[in-house]
Amino acid sequence: MRSRIIIFDDNQERLNSVAMLLNLSAGFTCNGTFPNANNLVADISSSKPDLVLMDIDMPGLNGIDATKLVRKHFDALPVLIQTNFEEDERIFGSLRAGANGYILKKTSPERFLESLREVLDGGAPITGSIAAKVLKHFSAESQAKKDYHLTEREKHILGFLVKGYSYKLIASACGITYNTVNNHIRNIYDKLYVNSATEAVSLAIKERLV
């Protein structure tokens, strides 16, 4: 049984060549080619595909917004994004929109067909260079400090807590009253979600907040 594929791409030559490749390849048939995604819901409803090949740059509705629309109306329908670009914003925009994979148009026909099979089998194909970008992105995210939205004054006071200063010594060092120090520290506790100076100091050291 052949899997039904439809293609959204504003490049007519690309539409024709991919459609021909699909129809000449075992296990696939091109069920429709569309130069834009402006009538996406109707086009998908009438062609009943097993997989959507989506160009990222099209007039009117772009591929990322079109993918979001697929997710809204055809939740389980796989979408494979095709593009000429490897820009981080496009990659992560596509993945956040719910794309099942992201491949470059320069991908070889063999790898292209393999990617289609992967998506249909529940996989999520991406090219090696894009995979490297994804790994780098998540590595950077994991290393990024969590923002607790401490003010500069609060960070300064937290720094004194880490050094073991008492409220009285902090007040003297900062030129403010004891009550003001107490108010700042209460705000610090609230922002760090802690209940004591020990917890605040421990978190400050762990997260390198000061």
Side-chain angles (χ1 to χ4, degrees), residues 186-201:
R186 276 207 307 269
N187 289 336
I188 291 169
Y189 287 1
D190 287 343
K191 291 180 179 181
L192 300 185
Y193 300 101
V194 299
N195 297 304
S196 69
T198 304
E199 288 181 77
V201 168

Side-chain angles (χ1 to χ4, degrees), residues 1 8 14 28 30 43 52-53 56 70 77 82 101 103 110 114 127 129 137-138 147 162 177-178 187 192 207:
M1 183 177 175
F8 291 93
R14 172 78 182 175
F28 298 109
C30 181
D43 292 336
V52 175
L53 274 171
I56 205 164
V70 173
L77 180 62
Q82 298 184 98
I103 62 171
E110 294 80 10
E114 185 182 333
T127 61
S129 57
H137 172 78
F138 285 112
D147 188 356
V162 170
T177 67
Y178 181 96
N187 289 336
L192 300 185
E207 299 284 339

Side-chain angles (χ1 to χ4, degrees), residues 37-109:
N38 297 341
N39 297 307
L40 178 140
V41 175
D43 292 336
I44 291 177
S45 296
S46 61
S47 55
K48 296 180 171 57
D50 298 306
L51 184 150
V52 175
L53 274 171
M54 185 72 71
D55 183 20
I56 205 164
D57 283 311
M58 292 180 290
L61 198 67
N62 65 45
I64 293 175
D65 290 335
T67 300
K68 292 177 183 176
L69 205 56
V70 173
R71 285 290 151 265
K72 180 179 178 181
H73 294 276
F74 310 94
D75 184 50
L77 180 62
V79 177
L80 182 59
I81 295 284
Q82 298 184 98
T83 181
N84 289 315
F85 307 98
E86 295 184 58
E87 297 170 7
D88 291 2
E89 185 178 341
R90 294 168 181 266
I91 295 169
F92 299 119
S94 299
L95 298 178
R96 280 193 293 267
N100 298 79
Y102 188 106
I103 62 171
L104 299 176
K105 290 186 177 181
K106 65 182 180 182
T107 300
S108 69

Side-chain angles (χ1 to χ4, degrees), residues 18-34:
V18 174
M20 183 180 295
L21 174 63
L22 291 171
N23 289 329
L24 292 175
S25 301
F28 298 109
T29 184
C30 181
N31 241 40
T33 59
F34 308 96

